[in-house]
Amino acid sequence: MTAPAPRPLPSAQSLETVIARAGEIVLGKTHVLRLAFACLLARGHLLIEDLPGVGKTTLAQVLARVLGLHFKRIQFTNDLLPADILGISIYQADSREFSFHPGPIFSQVLLADEINRATPKTQSALLEAMEEHQVTVDGVAHRLPEPFYVIATQNPHHLVGTFPLPESQLDRFLMRLELGYPDHQAERELLKGRDRRELLEALAPALDGKALLAWQARVVEIHAADALLDYVQALVEATRRSADFSEGLSPRAAMAWLRAARAWALLSGRQMVLPDDVQAVAVPVIAHRLRPAKSGEPRAALVERLIRSVPIP
Amino acid sequence: MIVAREKTADTVPWRDPLLLRWLLFATALAAAPHAVFQPAWVVAALAVAMLWRWLIEQGRLPKPGWLVRALLAVLLLALVWNQYRTVFGRDAGVALLLVLFGLKLVETRTPRDYAVSVLLLYLVVAGGFLHEQTPWVAALAVLTIVTSLVTLIRLTQPTTIDARRSLRLAGALLLQALPLMLVLYLFFPRFTGALWSLPGAGGAGLTGMSETMQPGSLGEVMESTEPAFRASFRGVVPPPEQRYWRMLVLWQTDGRRWDRGALPPGRERLTAGGPEYRYQLILEPNRLGWLPVLDRPVETPLDALAFAGNVYERREPTRERLSYELSAWPQARDRALTSFARHAALQLPDTLSPRVRELAERLRAGRDDSLAVAQAAFDHFRREPFVYTLRPPRLGTDPVDEFLFETRRGYCEHYASAFVTLMRAAGVPARVVMGYQGGEHNPAGNYLLVRQSDAHAWAEVWDETRGWVRVDPTAAVAPARIERGSEAIRRLEASGLNPGSLTDAALTRAIEFGLFERLWRRSQLTLDYANLAWYRWVADYGAERQSKLFEGFGWPRLTTAQLIWMLVAAFALALLFTLVWLSRQRTTLDPARRQYDRFCRKLAHAGLARAPHEGPLAFAERCSCQRSGLATTVSEITRMYLGLRYGRVPAAGLPELRRRVADFSV
């Protein structure tokens, strides 16, 4: 968002610092980084989808580190079991009791690498935890730490050996981002510079969990006027009317969209949501929730066409 | 901002990928009626244009330049001229419209072109009605309008919508238009004459009887199953033996040919009596001006001229369907026979053969009552081996003689001709009546359908006490023809049976229909009824019926001008209400938004138009990029507007915004 931002909040500066620091490692992807931060500010889980080797995992790690969050990573494979994520109750011979050994999900950021390599059973175990922010093992509910994020990466579906996430589960992710290839200059810098992993080790957090929670609370306060809600509703109705998509957006998706737009407005240092904000987060928020009526049409293009078809009220 | 920043307002507007298909489909439907009436090349030219446009859409052919289009226009104009020697008038005009519409189709590209094409399409549809106003043309027109509406809907819908939804929307629009259509249909001024004189269809292709009769002249007519007319009765339908529809009376013969003779126009005075049959008759176009009327008429139908024999002729041949209402009095009595008519009814050819004269004398002998003589002749036909057949042998120079004594095979006109000649030779005034006999009762609409094949000729003889009495010698030979109709006779003929020689039960068996034939006939009759209903309620709704309708409302007779004023006033009123309603809608618009719209309009005049979907920030940035001089003002006004419209505390800065927008100029 480079448009003139009227009177930035004094503390918005710290968010800019976060993004700038992340940008030192993830080169030339400021826009994607901003979207990712907006997603996290809006308490949303993030799905990063792209070809192997364009820096998905690096982005996820950078996000966790720069926000100063406790971070764990699981490499998803097709033999991964739900217990490998959630944890397991083991019988202790000495105390003659079952005691719960928490799995890697008990962290503030869980990086689920290549989520679409796991079987649907394992995927759904994770997705339940994402929705409820708690894990139930042997009838006992265990709260997950706050904030809690899942940042999942996945390869595009047409690669062999994957279990694509169904639409209903994709819905749990607030945004789906695509990184794309770096531009010429960024790639040159990548080639010249030091190894990303080393840099990552050296990356100092610019925020901590508490501060992030405070920011999250402020997202909710961002004002969405009736005129803006009219616009969001018009867009949502257009998805339901359009023959481009087999079905329209759900009310939950509409709420998610508005939340993301609020976060985007906050990142831009504004206290009200503008139609521009709604448009800015449109593709990451709704493209993965809509199924094209005809397969093979790029979703992003369809969403852009949809946006262009709805006048701002 | 990916969306708004990359696609600006001046890119080609988005378009439905199926739009062209719908337009071409609508064109094909609209052109279908013209395919029947226009020369093949006109329709072919339109088809080529459609194909061409399709290939352009597919990217297989380039778009034609203006020179090509101009040359094509000239060529097409020349072709139309070559065909019709004019470019005006109905046929040439419609042809020109069709080919030029094809040309327009080829260059259709922008949304505006599409809208213009659809509007032109409506002209093409209207052109279809100039030829024929039958139900199938109307059905095609409705289909065309639905598809063209779908085209317009898809043109204006912001997103692609599926076919079912667009069809439903088009249907709803059409239904909403229905009341307006009805009002216009009922109240739009009708003109008594034709609004413009359409070129007559001519006599070509029309079957029907001619004004004279000679052996074999009715044969061709009787082969045709085309409807001649339809008659619906108020009340009782007359029994088959009463269904004699007279059309013209033949007085004069040269032994072979019968014609009307030289009797001047004038009505025969009749005393009405007995039962009355009131009916409405809808006459199909034919080659004559003579009007068929049910025996016996007392009044004159329409503006026709009455001739001796209770027959009526209009000045013009019946080129279009005609309807009239009349009463028949089968037992009406004539008052007197003028000496002039008596003379005409006794006229005999000079070449009358002695054999005929001798037979007439034999019939006359000992009988002084003319009806007794007629009865004797009737019996003669029944007694002697006469055969009713639709395929009689050809007759030579003296057909009456040959028929009576040698061939003895023939159908109604042979019998009528021979019978009247005999009567006259016996001194009884007699005449030949031509018309139709019978008619199929259509239970679907309770009317009689009389076909050309029901054409018939019979005789009338003068009785001093009873006046003209109908004697049908055909009934003596083939009663089935009269009681069961011409269709039954045709079936018998096809099976090689002689109708005169069969018993009643055998006859019934011979002409009985199979189940499928019955069903088929039944469906044909229903179709015929639909056709009639269409004519009565739609095509025939003219000035007369309109004023009748108004009388039904208790309104005074309105002139055309008064009607037009009423319609104009009604529409003005409706328009006014719509405007008031629209302006109410407008006042609900947000005041800040209204100022912003004003601001955008000012920018649009300077070539910076905001697309409807463009976010205000994105638009402000685009303006600043293109006109750096405006950057500050634009961003300030935008910021004020956004604060007012989307901010938490609105309304405070509105006067300021109004002032800034008013001061703003590019």
Side-chain angles (χ1 to χ4, degrees), chain A residues 1-4 6 31 221-225 227-228 231 238 240-244 264 270-277 279-280 283 304-313, chain B residues 1-7 11-12 14-15 17 154 157-162 165 593 610 612-621 635 639 641-643 645-649:
Chain A
M1 191 75 221
T2 50
H31 190 71
E221 289 165 13
I222 300 292
H223 181 66
L228 185 97
Y231 182 49
R240 294 171 189 164
R241 214 175 48 222
S242 169
D244 286 345
W264 186 263
R270 254 182 279 111
Q271 283 193 307
M272 58 193 174
V273 192
L274 298 184
D276 300 82
D277 302 325
Q279 291 180 354
V283 173
E304 287 185 22
R305 185 152 105 189
L306 177 90
I307 299 265
R308 264 181 289 145
S309 74
V310 179
I312 296 172
Chain B
M1 275 311 84
I2 304 171
V3 174
R5 200 175 293 163
E6 286 171 5
K7 311 274 176 199
T11 50
V12 174
W14 165 82
R15 216 181 64 207
R154 300 189 84 95
Q157 276 293 307
T159 48
T160 36
I161 58 174
D162 54 19
R165 193 188 291 268
R593 175 61 197 247
R610 187 178 81 90
H613 68 269
E614 205 172 8
L617 282 182
F619 178 57
E621 198 189 332
S635 90
R639 193 172 52 78
Y641 160 64
L642 290 176
R645 184 136 170 86
Y646 296 104
R648 205 183 291 270
V649 270

Side-chain angles (χ1 to χ4, degrees), chain B residues 486-524:
Chain B
S486 57
E487 173 69 20
I489 290 299
R490 235 198 324 274
R491 293 173 64 81
L492 285 176
E493 188 89 2
S495 59
L497 295 168
N498 176 14
S501 66
L502 289 174
T503 63
D504 225 39
L507 246 174
T508 308
R509 248 199 327 279
I511 60 174
E512 201 174 34
F513 285 117
L515 174 68
F516 287 108
E517 246 175 328
R518 257 205 315 270
L519 285 177
W520 167 249
R521 273 192 93 71
R522 193 61 194 256
S523 68
Q524 290 298 98

Side-chain angles (χ1 to χ4, degrees), chain A residues 153-174:
Chain A
T153 71
Q154 76 170 359
N155 295 328
H157 295 154
H158 52 78
L159 292 183
V160 183
T162 59
F163 297 93
L165 292 170
E167 265 84 8
S168 62
Q169 304 204 333
L170 280 173
D171 204 29
R172 308 276 155 85
F173 291 100
L174 179 62

Side-chain angles (χ1 to χ4, degrees), chain A residues 49-208:
Chain A
E49 182 180 300
D50 220 315
L51 296 164
V54 291
K56 295 190 295 282
T57 314
T58 312
L59 173 63
Q61 286 179 333
V62 165
L63 287 175
R65 222 164 247 279
V66 85
L67 292 174
L69 297 177
H70 181 234
F71 165 80
K72 274 187 189 151
R73 172 181 173 177
I74 312 175
Q75 176 65 44
F76 276 48
T77 55
N78 55 10
D79 55 359
L80 192 75
L81 293 174
D84 297 336
I85 305 172
L86 305 180
I88 193 165
S89 289
I90 296 176
Y91 182 69
Q92 301 288 343
D94 46 346
S95 61
R96 303 190 170 203
E97 276 181 343
F98 282 93
S99 77
F100 178 66
H101 289 246
I105 200 164
F106 287 88
S107 62
Q108 287 176 310
V109 173
L110 177 72
L111 172 56
D113 229 352
E114 299 194 82
I115 190 172
N116 57 342
R117 295 230 176 254
T119 54
K121 185 181 177 185
T122 311
Q123 288 174 357
S124 59
L126 174 68
L127 294 163
E128 265 179 55
M130 288 163 66
E131 187 68 14
E132 312 288 335
H133 281 221
Q134 68 175 23
V135 169
T136 309
V137 177
D138 294 333
V140 184
H142 305 276
R143 290 281 327 154
L144 295 173
E146 285 293 333
F148 170 72
Y149 296 112
V150 172
I151 299 177
T153 71
Q154 76 170 359
N155 295 328
H157 295 154
H158 52 78
L159 292 183
V160 183
T162 59
F163 297 93
L165 292 170
E167 265 84 8
S168 62
Q169 304 204 333
L170 280 173
D171 204 29
R172 308 276 155 85
F173 291 100
L174 179 62
M175 285 191 192
R176 188 192 60 173
L177 294 174
E178 283 171 27
L179 277 170
Y181 297 115
D183 59 29
H184 185 76
Q185 192 172 356
E187 193 155 28
R188 173 61 65 92
E189 270 181 60
L190 270 176
L191 293 172
K192 272 164 85 176
R194 281 198 291 158
D195 183 36
R196 296 292 114 184
R197 285 185 207 290
E198 282 174 38
L199 287 172
L200 207 57
E201 296 296 323
L203 186 63
L207 221 62
D208 57 17

